Amino acid sequence: MSVEASKSGRSRKTLALWMLFLGMLVLYAWAYSYLGAVLILGKNTDRTGSTQAAFIDAVYRSASVGNHVERPSILGEFTSLLPQYTDGTVDPLFPWLLRKHASQPPDEVFEAGKWMNFILSGCLLLGFALAAARAFSFSGAMAAVLMGGFGVILERSAYFSPDAIYYLLIVLTWLCALSLIRQNHLWLYGTFGVLLGLSYLAKP
């Protein structure tokens, strides 16, 4: 009976820690969203910078890939749906994610790209926090998210570039590699490969 009581006590303690951690993540997400909106609306308002302009141009080029082929093959139709346009400097993932905005003028593409980058980076950051808390500790996960999120990711997520997404993909790939050292699950190998591929497509 004492063993069962001990297990029940540990379970309640773990549940309480998870609830506290999730509450802190909610507060973190609010602060991150507020500061990110300030940066997007107040700081990064010029799209003519060399890096951002190159990515905006790549959005239009990515959307036009395959349009000149009158009767593409089945394989050609499938590959045209995947990120593939690159000029050797701009990798294909970020422009591909914004292809649906290619019919809009550059200013609107610029705004849509900043918000997409910010939202996607925030979601990846929260996903990393949950994965790190499960793999390591609550305090370590929160420290990593606070330092990495506010220190590096927040500023880069307000720009029209894949930097923030790339950094987060690399960190998630590293976390997956550490998990593979500890446990040999087949789905982790698939996740590791997908994260490596996305990282490669995000930035050269």
Side-chain angles (χ1 to χ4, degrees):
M1 185 69 179
S2 60
V3 175
E4 292 181 1
S6 177
K7 287 182 179 179
S8 177
R10 285 197 299 268
S11 177
R12 284 196 297 269
K13 184 179 179 180
T14 302
L15 180 61
L17 286 173
W18 268 110
M19 295 302 292
L20 177 62
F21 181 73
L22 292 176
M24 292 177 68
L25 279 186
V26 170
L27 291 175
Y28 173 81
W30 176 84
Y32 183 89
S33 300
Y34 175 77
L35 294 173
V38 170
L39 288 174
I40 290 174
L41 298 174
K43 183 179 178 182
N44 183 27
T45 57
D46 182 16
R47 64 175 175 81
T48 58
S50 59
T51 303
Q52 295 188 119
F55 277 103
I56 292 172
D57 181 61
V59 171
Y60 295 106
R61 294 181 181 274
S62 177
S64 66
V65 169
N67 289 344
H68 61 283
V69 181
E70 294 183 2
R71 303 179 74 178
S73 63
I74 296 175
L75 183 59
E77 289 182 355
F78 173 72
T79 55
S80 67
L81 299 175
L82 302 175
Q84 56 181 305
Y85 171 77
T86 179
D87 59 2
T89 303
V90 175
D91 268 26
L93 182 63
F94 194 72
W96 176 79
L97 290 172
L98 287 158
R99 285 198 314 169
K100 65 178 182 179
H101 298 283
S103 60
Q104 300 172 352
D107 285 336
E108 293 184 19
V109 173
F110 179 55
E111 292 300 321
K114 288 191 297 181
W115 284 107
M116 185 210 69
N117 186 25
F118 171 69
I119 293 170
L120 185 55
S121 298
C123 291
L124 287 173
L125 199 55
L126 292 176
F128 166 72
L130 295 172
R134 188 173 181 275
F136 302 113
S137 67
F138 294 106
S139 57
M142 204 67 222
V145 169
L146 286 171
M147 289 187 296
F150 288 134
V152 179
I153 302 302
L154 178 61
E155 182 183 4
R156 299 312 306 165
S157 67
Y159 285 84
F160 196 97
S161 78
D163 289 349
I165 296 173
Y166 172 73
Y167 297 149
L168 287 167
L169 286 172
I170 289 294
V171 172
L172 286 169
T173 304
W174 167 77
L175 185 62
C176 187
L178 291 182
S179 298
L180 276 169
I181 293 173
R182 298 171 59 190
Q183 48 193 345
N184 191 27
H185 296 309
L186 183 61
W187 68 270
L188 278 174
Y189 287 96
T191 303
F192 185 64
V194 169
L195 289 172
L196 278 177
L198 290 175
S199 300
Y200 178 75
L201 291 173
K203 195 174 179 182

